[in-house]
Amino acid sequence: MHLSSDSTPSAARVQQPVWSPLRQPVFRLLWGTWLTANICMWMNDVAAAWLMTSLSSTPVMVALVQAASTLPVFLLGVPSGALADIVDRRRYFIVTQFWVAAVAVALCLTTFLGVQSAPLLLVLTFANGIGLAMRWPVFAALVPTLVPRPELPGALALNAVAMNLSRIIGPIVAGAVIAAGGSGHVFLLNAVLSICVGLLLLTWRYEQKISVLPSERFFGAIWVGLQYVRQSPEIHAVLWRVFTFFTLSIALLALLPLIAKGFPGGDAGTFTLLLAAMGGGAVVAAFMLPRLRQIMTRDTLVAYGTLLHAATTLIVALAPHPWLATLALPVAGMAWISVANSLTVSVQAALPDWVRARGMSIHQMTMMGGSALGAALWGQVATFADVRQALVLAAAAAVVGLLATRRFKLGGLTGEDKTPVRLWQAPEVAIPIEPEQGPVLITVEYRIDPARAVEFAELMRETRRARLRNGALSWELFHDTSEPGVYIEHFTDSSWVEYMRRNQRATAADIALRERRHALHLGEEPPRIRRYIAEPMARG
């Protein structure tokens, strides 16, 4: 699937309404399950934190509930993305849902049976976090396959709507149920909802693309995913913007409980009001994004959104009464979703489908890592100074961060077409080769006009990135010492099956790059390709 680079405003393109993806039955089904799952997540976090206050009087144990919930994202982000790319995504998504349902049942039973303890609650919260960490990359990878290309930004905006609605609905429902019957009843409700969602997912039919090649190996898939991100300047640019924005903007959300408490008469109700105001603004902005994308590029949206978020952070920091903060926070929510959606669309645009879950898991880890680091950083600043000073500094730092990262353009410099191209056919071989036999050495001989050597060298730098991010182990370019116009491109794959798999990952951008290389090659025949496979050494 190819997405435009968005290097210019999209007024020339027809923008779909943000709700248009809901016309797709499968997306509607999964969006509903995603909304329910996020509501359950917030309900579980609120109930677990409240229950911990009765199990332990130590503040650190209460704080560890949040840590236990988010830590799996850092530990399992890339592995879960690798699994989502190499197994049947429908089955994997369903398994993660029933995992979360099983944990909810365990929380419910241990609480009602009176055997719950602080350590056990942390273990079960961590287990629930495992399910969430495993589920997010596969859902992110599924979304682009469920909607037409023009509807993808709207689908991602609707996902953000689901997250922000759940941020409002989850705590409110959990608070009401806790007040009526205690945390155990929240866990019971979570278990019922999670099981119902799992059963609903069983009705979903999904056509998994079948490959004639054996599935990638788990650790190899992790390595290739990391290699793809490492060799993609487009993704580097987006990740820098993601990390910077979330590290600096998280101050407002992280310190919101203390902000609410600091207002005259501030209590839990004040905090809920402020949180709902911010989430409500994000929901409203999601429906404005199609229009904004018609008149602004992603870079412009991120720049204005960052500045607007910094301005509202400053207003909240200086607000003498909660009503002023309540008026400012919806604008902060609008700015936040505009930036977050633009960054997510940019990551999706830079990823072909075969590595999408791995790439999105790295994006998630960057976002969560920036948020965690920022929360700790601004919490320390608030400890040594005060909450208002921390917010003022965070607002100023956001502006500095925007200026420091302005050279990282979203959508990259080339707008590469990531559409899969299935033109490659396995070469004929004259010797028997086992699929796992290797390594495989490939050489390509080019004859280049010496006057165009500089142009060829730049093109081969692009080629190196393309070969390596698609899975090649190593790459070199050799220059013939006796014939100045002769070059040998030399790269290796770990095995014959990995050689075939790398070629099957080709996109339209890879084909266009190949045509550019061939255009520089002299002679009527194309560059000569030779393939060599390691000979098993005789043992004796």
Side-chain angles (χ1 to χ4, degrees):
M1 175 172 292
H2 170 56
L3 306 173
S4 86
S5 64
D6 201 27
S7 58
T8 60
S10 52
R13 300 192 301 272
V14 176
Q15 287 291 330
Q16 299 293 327
V18 72
W19 57 83
S20 60
L22 292 175
R23 299 169 186 162
Q24 307 291 333
V26 176
F27 178 81
R28 189 166 60 244
L29 167 68
L30 292 190
W31 187 82
T33 64
W34 187 245
L35 173 62
T36 305
N38 278 283
I39 291 174
C40 289
M41 177 191 71
W42 279 97
M43 289 170 58
N44 185 86
D45 287 351
V46 170
W50 186 258
L51 179 59
M52 183 61 82
T53 62
S54 63
L55 296 174
S56 174
S57 59
T58 307
V60 68
M61 293 300 290
V62 178
L64 282 176
V65 172
Q66 184 63 29
S69 179
T70 56
L71 183 60
V73 175
F74 298 98
L75 299 179
L76 302 174
V78 176
S80 64
L83 278 175
D85 276 330
I86 64 179
V87 301
D88 185 295
R89 288 173 177 171
R90 172 185 175 272
R91 293 179 180 177
Y92 182 53
F93 192 50
I94 292 173
V95 167
T96 63
Q97 180 58 40
F98 279 108
W99 172 282
V100 172
V103 174
V105 170
L107 279 165
C108 176
L109 291 176
T110 53
T111 302
F112 279 126
L113 293 175
V115 297
Q116 191 64 269
S117 65
L120 179 58
L121 180 60
L122 289 179
V123 169
L124 291 175
T125 302
F126 184 83
N128 187 66
I130 291 175
L132 300 177
M134 301 293 278
R135 183 170 58 192
W136 194 91
V138 67
F139 182 78
L142 281 168
V143 169
T145 69
L146 303 177
V147 298
R149 184 179 69 190
E151 295 182 359
L152 180 59
L156 297 177
L158 285 171
N159 292 344
V161 167
M163 294 179 68
N164 283 280
L165 278 177
S166 65
R167 181 184 294 176
I168 300 170
I169 297 171
I172 292 175
V173 173
V177 174
I178 290 172
S183 294
H185 288 82
V186 176
F187 298 141
L188 175 61
L189 179 59
N190 269 353
V192 172
L193 289 175
S194 297
I195 292 172
C196 289
V197 167
L199 294 175
L200 186 62
L201 286 175
L202 291 175
T203 67
W204 164 38
R205 294 294 176 261
Y206 173 70
E207 293 184 8
Q208 180 77 6
K209 293 181 180 179
I210 305 299
S211 173
V212 297
L213 301 178
S215 298
E216 291 183 72
R217 293 183 176 180
F218 178 63
F219 291 106
I222 292 176
W223 179 86
V224 171
L226 294 173
Q227 180 80 337
Y228 189 94
V229 171
R230 180 185 176 190
Q231 296 296 334
S232 175
E234 289 179 284
I235 298 180
H236 290 178
V238 181
L239 293 183
W240 274 114
R241 302 292 289 268
V242 168
F243 183 79
T244 303
F245 175 75
F246 283 95
T247 299
L248 302 177
S249 68
I250 195 64
L252 181 60
L253 187 59
L255 298 177
L256 201 58
L258 297 176
I259 296 167
K261 191 175 181 180
F263 285 128
D267 55 14
T270 307
F271 172 56
T272 302
L273 175 65
L274 297 179
L275 193 63
M278 190 171 182
V283 171
V284 171
F287 294 95
M288 300 167 54
L289 282 174
R291 175 57 184 163
L292 292 175
R293 279 192 291 268
Q294 287 184 324
I295 60 177
M296 298 182 192
T297 65
R298 291 187 213 130
D299 284 301
T300 304
L301 266 174
V302 169
Y304 286 166
T306 301
L307 292 174
L308 194 57
H309 193 278
T312 52
T313 299
L314 188 61
I315 292 172
V316 172
L318 303 178
H321 299 287
W323 64 264
L324 181 57
T326 304
L327 292 176
L329 282 169
V331 181
M334 292 179 181
W336 181 88
I337 196 174
S338 299
V339 176
N341 179 263
S342 298
L343 294 172
T344 302
V345 170
S346 298
V347 176
Q348 290 277 18
L351 292 166
D353 187 63
W354 66 267
V355 76
R356 191 177 303 279
R358 281 166 280 189
M360 292 308 296
S361 69
I362 293 172
H363 165 255
Q364 180 194 25
M365 291 176 66
T366 305
M367 181 177 66
M368 296 295 288
S371 298
L373 177 63
L377 171 65
W378 299 115
Q380 285 294 102
V381 173
T383 300
F384 288 109
D386 60 44
V387 174
R388 295 183 183 275
Q389 290 183 31
L391 290 178
V392 171
L393 288 174
V399 177
V400 174
L402 176 63
L403 294 174
T405 58
R406 67 185 184 278
R407 66 188 179 93
F408 297 116
K409 301 300 182 183
L410 301 179
L413 302 177
T414 60
E416 292 183 346
D417 187 348
K418 301 301 189 301
T419 305
V421 177
R422 306 296 184 186
L423 299 178
W424 185 82
Q425 294 182 346
E428 294 184 3
V429 296
I431 60 174
I433 301 176
E434 295 296 326
E436 298 299 331
Q437 188 175 342
V440 178
L441 168 67
I442 303 96
T443 64
V444 186
E445 181 179 317
Y446 301 94
R447 295 186 175 274
I448 306 298
D449 182 351
R452 307 185 71 178
V454 174
E455 181 183 356
F456 179 70
E458 179 59 34
L459 184 58
M460 295 310 287
R461 275 190 283 270
E462 293 183 45
T463 300
R464 175 184 180 275
R465 287 195 295 266
R467 304 281 197 204
L468 292 176
R469 70 173 173 242
N470 281 350
L473 289 178
S474 62
W475 185 96
E476 296 288 347
L477 181 65
F478 295 91
H479 196 174
D480 195 314
T481 59
S482 59
E483 294 186 60
V486 176
Y487 294 83
I488 301 293
E489 182 189 10
H490 165 297
F491 50 102
T492 58
D493 292 298
S494 61
S495 66
W496 187 253
V497 71
E498 290 300 325
Y499 161 73
M500 293 192 290
R501 182 175 285 122
R502 178 177 55 77
N503 281 280
Q504 289 191 352
R505 292 167 178 158
T507 64
D510 295 318
I511 301 303
L513 184 60
R514 184 188 67 185
E515 296 304 318
R516 291 167 60 197
R517 292 195 301 269
H518 287 194
L520 291 180
H521 176 71
L522 300 176
E524 296 182 359
E525 295 296 323
R528 185 174 184 179
I529 302 175
R530 289 180 177 271
R531 304 167 187 86
Y532 305 87
I533 193 160
E535 187 71 16
M537 300 300 294
R539 298 178 183 274

